[in-house]
């Protein structure tokens, strides 16, 4: 969109928050870049230039606006919709791969050369992988500076900087403030100061409005695996397995943001944890675009208008969700939770949770690949399906990460014993983040469709749903919401 100057100018002049994170406005006279909804008086159109990313603005010599804090904008929804190699590269960078493995590691995961990656990202985002990772490190550093009492030396390395000098130089260049000045400004805004609990970080996760929390948090709470997830004091809480350690997160819906409280054993996992939480809650979606498309179907319009802004619940770990999808085949939600809880108790890693009742990390594929099938209280065919799945996940023959091709993953899932269209599509929807995944054979979808006057057979419903693309996964959420199942109800 950043190449459509006229449309961008209109968005800036009307302060449309919908486009925050989609493009950035750089002001030539002040050398400052802003989000489109910046509350400051809009600059003259001839003084504006538009960039596709914060990293592109920084690369061009602009610093972040201190009023609208554009570096904290929601992520562009483009990278959720698109499934090409550039989108997969962006999702990996957001996941912290460049910080952990460098550009060669990013190239290896994508099957590209480093030169290809640099050229493609520069063409589309105005910045290469190192610049994009640097912008993300700067934002991570800002969060740690403003929300924790950690010494700056520790923050520098936790945020991924190679030296304290690089950390200091980057913060000054990007924010036009020293780390100390950033912390002082945060203390003035919040006199209570940063959190005093070691290892605990409190922050706000932004999103584009509207956001309907009922099905989002209702789904997570209703399907929560005991010991790994819980609903407590108005927040969804769960354990996280992270690259450098583990963590516990509490997520609660608030007016205009999601309150996020992270307890990490290693602060280097902050970027990765935030990325997982955003994917879990689908916070980078563009609900206006989604609802406009679905509302154009007159039979869907009433349920869209009733509660606009529904999101697709995701997952913090695609492998975990794939296992849980198999455990949930042809059984009730309660039975699926029971099966998962038994695996967690037997094979999960114990953790301490002083603030709640969480006890374990969900076991990874490596731990489950060696389990004795006779210990599983499942039909024999389901045992075979589960063991085949976890072994494929453990040996890498079934990759389900943010950089993996969605159609290839579908094909590999369908080739496994016991995997049909429903299981494959629910994994594509929630683990792979495909916004167009569709479940025409799901009983709840078919019942809702018939109640609304939509076709009842899978083939006819699929044909009708062609008009809903590329947002059919969101249509599923609206159809499910016509039922009074607990997944649609925000817990008390």
């Amino acid at each position: 969109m950043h190449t459509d100057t006229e449309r961008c100018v209109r968005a800036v002049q009307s302060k449309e928050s919908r486009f925050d994170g989609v493009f950035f406005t750089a002001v030539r006279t002040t050398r400052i870049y802003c989000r489109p909804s910046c509350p400051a008086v809009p600059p003259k159109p001839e003084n504006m230039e538009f960039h596709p990313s914060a990293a592109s603005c920084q690369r061009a010599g602009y610093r972040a606006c201190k009023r609208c804090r554009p570096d904290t904008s929601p992520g562009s929804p483009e990278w959720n919709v698109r499934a090409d190699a550039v989108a997969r590269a962006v999702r990996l960078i957001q996941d912290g791969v460049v910080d952990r493995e460098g550009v060669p590691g990013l190239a290896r995961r994508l099957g590209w050369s480093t030169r290809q990656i640099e050229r493609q990202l520069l063409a589309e985002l105005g910045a290469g992988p190192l610049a994009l990772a640097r912008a993300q490190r700067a934002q991570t550093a800002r969060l740690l500076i403003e929300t924790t009492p950690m010494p700056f030396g520790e923050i520098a390395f936790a945020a991924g900087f190679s030296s304290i000098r690089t950390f200091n130089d980057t913060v000054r260049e990007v924010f036009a403030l020293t780390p100390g000045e950033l912390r002082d400004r945060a203390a003035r805004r919040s006199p209570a100061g940063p959190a005093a609990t070691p290892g605990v970080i409190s922050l706000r996760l932004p999103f584009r409005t509207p956001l309907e929390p009922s099905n989002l948090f209702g789904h997570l709470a209703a399907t929560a695996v005991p010991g790994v997830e819980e609903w407590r004091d108005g927040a969804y809480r769960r354990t996280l397995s992270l690259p450098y350690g583990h963590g516990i997160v509490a997520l609660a819906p608030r007016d205009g943001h999601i309150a996020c409280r992270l307890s990490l054993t290693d602060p280097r996992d902050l970027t990765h944890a935030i990325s997982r939480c955003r994917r879990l809650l689908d916070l980078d979606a563009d609900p206006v675009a989604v609802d406009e498309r679905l509302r154009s179907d007159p039979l869907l319009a009433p349920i869209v208008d009733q509660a606009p802004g529904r999101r697709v619940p995701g997952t913090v770990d695609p492998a975990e969700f794939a296992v849980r999808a198999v455990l949930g085949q042809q059984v009730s939600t309660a039975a699926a939770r029971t099966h998962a809880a038994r695996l967690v108790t037997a094979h999960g890693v114990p953790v301490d949770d002083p603030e709640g009742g969480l006890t374990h990390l969900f076991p990874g594929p490596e731990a489950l690949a060696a389990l004795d099938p006779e210990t599983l209280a499942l039909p024999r065919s389901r045992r075979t399906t589960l063991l085949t799945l976890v072994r494929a996940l453990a040996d890498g023959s079934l990759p389900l990460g943010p950089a993996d091709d969605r159609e290839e993953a579908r094909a590999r899932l369908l080739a496994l014993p016991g995997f049909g269209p429903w299981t494959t599509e629910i994994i594509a929807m929630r683990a792979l983040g495909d916004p167009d995944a569709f479940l025409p054979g799901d009983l709840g979808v078919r019942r809702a469709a018939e109640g609304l006057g939509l076709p009842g057979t899978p083939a006819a419903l699929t044909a009708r749903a062609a008009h809903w693309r590329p947002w059919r996964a969101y249509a599923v959420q609206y159809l499910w919401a016509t039922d009074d199942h607990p997944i649609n109800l925000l817990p008390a």
Side-chain angles (χ1 to χ4, degrees):
M1 177 178 172
H2 73 286
T3 58
D4 188 342
T5 301
E6 184 178 343
R7 189 181 180 197
C8 288
V9 169
R10 288 200 305 268
V12 171
Q13 291 176 337
S14 60
K15 302 185 185 299
E16 289 192 46
S17 60
R18 172 187 173 185
F19 297 107
D20 288 354
V22 176
F23 71 90
F24 296 82
T25 307
V27 186
R28 298 187 182 99
T29 52
T30 61
R31 307 304 297 173
I32 291 172
Y33 74 93
C34 303
R35 60 172 76 197
S37 66
C38 181
V41 176
K44 296 178 180 178
E46 59 266 27
N47 292 331
M48 300 181 198
E49 64 180 60
F50 303 103
H51 292 257
S53 65
S56 175
C57 295
Q58 295 168 18
R59 182 173 178 269
Y62 293 93
R63 67 170 178 82
C65 174
K66 296 176 184 176
R67 292 189 65 181
C68 69
R69 297 171 59 136
D71 51 300
T72 62
S73 299
S76 173
E78 181 177 8
W79 311 122
N80 291 341
V81 179
R82 286 174 51 175
D84 59 13
V86 171
R88 289 154 56 201
V90 170
R91 292 196 290 267
L92 281 173
I93 293 169
Q94 291 172 343
D95 224 30
V97 166
V98 171
D99 289 334
R100 296 192 301 273
E101 303 175 22
V103 179
L106 177 65
R108 186 169 54 252
R109 287 175 177 244
L110 292 169
W112 282 4
S113 70
T114 55
R115 181 176 297 180
Q116 281 179 302
I117 289 175
E118 185 76 31
R119 184 172 61 250
Q120 293 288 337
L121 292 180
L122 195 60
E124 294 220 29
L125 287 157
L130 288 176
L132 291 166
R134 176 180 179 267
Q136 185 162 276
R137 282 195 294 271
Q139 170 59 9
T140 301
R142 183 176 198 162
L143 282 172
L144 292 172
I145 290 168
E146 294 182 339
T147 62
T148 76
M150 288 173 60
F152 294 142
E154 294 181 18
I155 288 176
F157 295 109
F161 291 98
S162 59
S163 70
I164 297 175
R165 179 177 179 179
T166 304
F167 160 74
N168 286 327
D169 290 345
T170 299
V171 169
R172 280 195 296 266
E173 181 182 340
V174 173
F175 305 115
L177 295 168
T178 66
E181 289 169 337
L182 270 179
R183 180 163 282 175
D184 289 342
R185 283 170 60 92
R188 288 195 295 271
R189 289 196 303 269
S190 178
T197 307
V200 175
I201 302 166
S202 297
L203 57 142
R204 296 182 173 200
L205 301 181
F207 56 77
R208 294 175 186 84
T209 57
L211 182 144
E212 170 55 50
S214 58
N215 75 299
L216 185 58
F217 287 92
H219 205 121
L220 296 175
T223 60
V225 177
V228 174
E229 304 165 287
E230 67 176 1
W231 181 266
R232 181 183 292 265
D233 299 328
Y236 166 76
R237 303 178 73 247
R238 71 154 294 145
T239 58
L240 301 171
S241 297
L242 299 165
Y244 296 105
H246 67 266
I248 292 175
V249 64
L251 299 162
R254 297 288 184 264
D255 185 18
H257 69 277
I258 299 295
C260 175
R261 181 177 168 85
L262 278 165
S263 176
L264 303 174
T265 56
D266 192 318
R268 289 179 295 175
D269 283 322
L270 177 60
T271 298
H272 194 77
I274 292 174
S275 176
R276 289 190 179 194
C277 292
R278 295 194 66 82
R279 286 201 299 270
L280 172 71
L281 301 181
D282 195 19
L283 297 185
D284 291 331
D286 183 351
V288 174
V290 172
D291 290 351
E292 281 180 353
R293 167 64 72 174
L294 300 183
R295 195 179 284 116
S296 66
D297 188 319
L299 296 182
L300 277 185
I303 58 174
V304 174
D305 290 335
Q306 184 177 357
R310 292 192 183 276
R311 299 300 207 271
V312 178
T315 181
V316 297
D317 185 339
E320 173 191 317
F321 184 80
V323 170
R324 292 171 61 172
V326 170
L327 295 176
Q329 288 178 333
Q330 300 177 353
V331 298
S332 67
T333 299
R337 294 179 66 207
T338 299
H339 290 316
R342 289 172 181 163
L343 284 185
V344 166
T345 302
H347 304 282
V349 177
V351 298
D352 293 325
D353 177 21
E355 298 181 351
L358 304 180
T359 59
H360 289 80
L361 302 175
F362 196 90
E366 295 79 9
L368 295 177
L371 61 81
D372 180 358
E374 297 303 321
T375 64
L376 299 174
L378 298 170
R380 187 170 298 277
S381 61
R382 194 78 45 77
R383 296 180 197 173
T384 301
T385 299
L386 180 62
L387 288 175
T388 305
L389 170 68
V390 295
R391 287 167 183 166
L393 291 168
D395 66 21
S397 60
L398 177 62
L400 293 179
D404 296 307
D405 184 273
R406 292 166 179 167
E407 293 310 313
E408 182 179 345
R410 277 183 168 93
R412 295 192 181 196
L413 286 167
L414 285 170
L416 298 177
F419 273 78
W422 185 91
T423 309
T424 299
E425 285 301 300
I426 197 70
I427 292 174
M429 179 188 295
R430 297 193 55 191
L432 298 174
D434 186 349
D436 202 39
F438 193 48
L439 305 170
D442 179 83
L443 180 60
V445 169
R446 293 174 61 187
R447 185 185 298 128
E450 291 174 356
L452 293 171
L454 291 163
T457 65
L461 185 57
T462 299
R464 175 62 175 259
H467 180 69
W468 306 340
R469 306 189 75 168
W471 311 117
R472 293 183 302 176
Y474 294 86
V476 170
Q477 306 306 313
Y478 281 106
L479 291 171
W480 275 342
T482 61
D483 196 358
D484 60 356
H485 193 281
I487 65 170
N488 295 314
L489 305 175
L490 186 67

